[in-house]
Amino acid sequence: GESVGLHLPTLSVQEGDNSIINCAYSNSASDYFIWYKQESGKGPQFIIDIRSNMDKRQGQRVTVLLNKTVKHLSLQIAATQPGDSAVYFCAEKREGSYIPTFGRGTSLIVHP
Amino acid sequence: NAGVTQTPKFRVLKTGQSMTLLCAQDMNHEYMYWYRQDPGMGLRLIHYSVGEGTTAKGEVPDGYNVSRLKKQNFLLGLESAAPSQTSVYFCASSLRTGWPETQYFGPGTRLLVL
């Protein structure tokens, strides 16, 4: 689960390992989900998205899995690299709505 | 393409002062957004625009005003800054809303209100 207070959940992995970052979303009416990567001092960067009529979507080294039954989203990063170190957060929205809801984020630390 | 740019990068204000944050995009995007990001919290939408001349309230609009006089620019104004507005502000733009929706974010403006 998420930490209470200002500290983000943290995932530490070794370079070359696979990483799995989890996100629990709150609105069962949400039908569109996006993962972002935010490096220190920079703006968020789009990674991958998925619609609610999908269970899985793959990109380059990343896979997003969606479990609507338990309202859970995960981002899998294959062969994690030091450059993957960042805060990752998910966003949910209802298609047609302009207002996304962002999670608090998970800090990924990749050790060389 | 420069993408999304924000001016200024950092600003310190005293309580009650006013300022305008400028966002510019060169991708001909229709949709533009202003978010704030506070420690330990996700991004929260302040205001957004679905096209030139239009603006709408987001999740946390109080204390802010916006204008979109030109398609490429989206201005965020603070008329009377308060310490609670200390935050990092991000502008974003997108070509469309809904699937697929890729929002491109600027580098952020750090604002400190004393």
Side-chain angles (χ1 to χ4, degrees):
Chain A
E2 291 189 341
S3 302
V4 176
L6 302 181
H7 299 289
L8 293 176
T10 299
L11 175 65
S12 290
V13 300
Q14 290 297 128
E15 181 177 0
D17 287 350
N18 296 333
S19 302
I20 300 176
I21 299 170
N22 298 303
C23 177
Y25 64 94
S26 55
N27 189 348
S28 58
S30 294
D31 51 16
Y32 180 55
F33 306 89
I34 312 139
W35 278 101
Y36 290 93
K37 171 186 180 183
Q38 186 175 22
E39 296 175 272
S40 182
K42 296 185 179 180
Q45 178 184 4
F46 171 90
I47 302 173
I48 191 168
D49 52 3
I50 189 168
R51 295 182 80 176
S52 60
N53 60 355
M54 302 173 173
D55 296 324
K56 179 180 180 178
R57 191 159 188 243
Q58 288 184 293
Q60 187 178 14
R61 277 201 311 120
V62 295
T63 301
V64 55
L65 298 178
L66 175 62
N67 186 330
K68 295 181 288 294
T69 303
V70 295
K71 292 189 286 186
H72 183 268
L73 198 63
S74 69
L75 177 71
Q76 300 179 0
I77 304 174
T80 314
Q81 302 167 1
D84 294 328
S85 293
V87 174
Y88 291 80
F89 49 91
C90 64
E92 59 176 297
K93 64 181 295 189
R94 286 180 294 109
E95 197 150 352
S97 167
Y98 297 106
I99 304 178
T101 300
F102 287 82
R104 291 175 54 232
T106 296
S107 177
L108 175 65
I109 300 172
V110 182
H111 300 282
Chain B
N1 284 355
V4 179
T5 58
Q6 292 182 232
T7 309
K9 288 184 170 55
F10 178 70
R11 184 77 183 267
V12 179
L13 288 179
K14 293 181 180 178
T15 297
Q17 287 184 318
S18 64
M19 79 164 293
T20 300
L21 283 68
L22 171 64
C23 175
Q25 53 95 3
D26 61 1
M27 297 174 282
N28 202 34
H29 285 171
E30 288 293 334
Y31 301 89
M32 296 188 75
Y33 314 83
W34 274 108
Y35 295 92
R36 60 177 289 173
Q37 186 176 40
D38 301 300
M41 298 184 71
L43 292 163
R44 290 183 292 168
L45 183 64
I46 305 171
H47 286 280
Y48 63 96
S49 168
V50 302
E52 181 179 321
T54 74
T55 62
K57 294 180 180 179
E59 185 185 352
V60 288
D62 294 342
Y64 305 94
N65 56 74
V66 288
S67 64
R68 182 109 181 261
L69 299 179
K70 293 183 179 181
K71 186 176 183 179
Q72 63 267 33
N73 295 338
F74 195 28
L75 278 63
L76 178 71
L78 287 73
E79 290 188 348
S80 179
S84 60
Q85 294 178 303
T86 293
S87 188
V88 181
Y89 291 86
F90 289 101
C91 175
S93 72
S94 64
L95 184 61
R96 62 178 64 85
T97 184
W99 175 267
E101 176 182 327
T102 303
Q103 289 195 12
Y104 295 85
F105 284 81
T109 295
R110 292 184 176 274
L111 176 64
L112 175 62
V113 183
L114 301 175

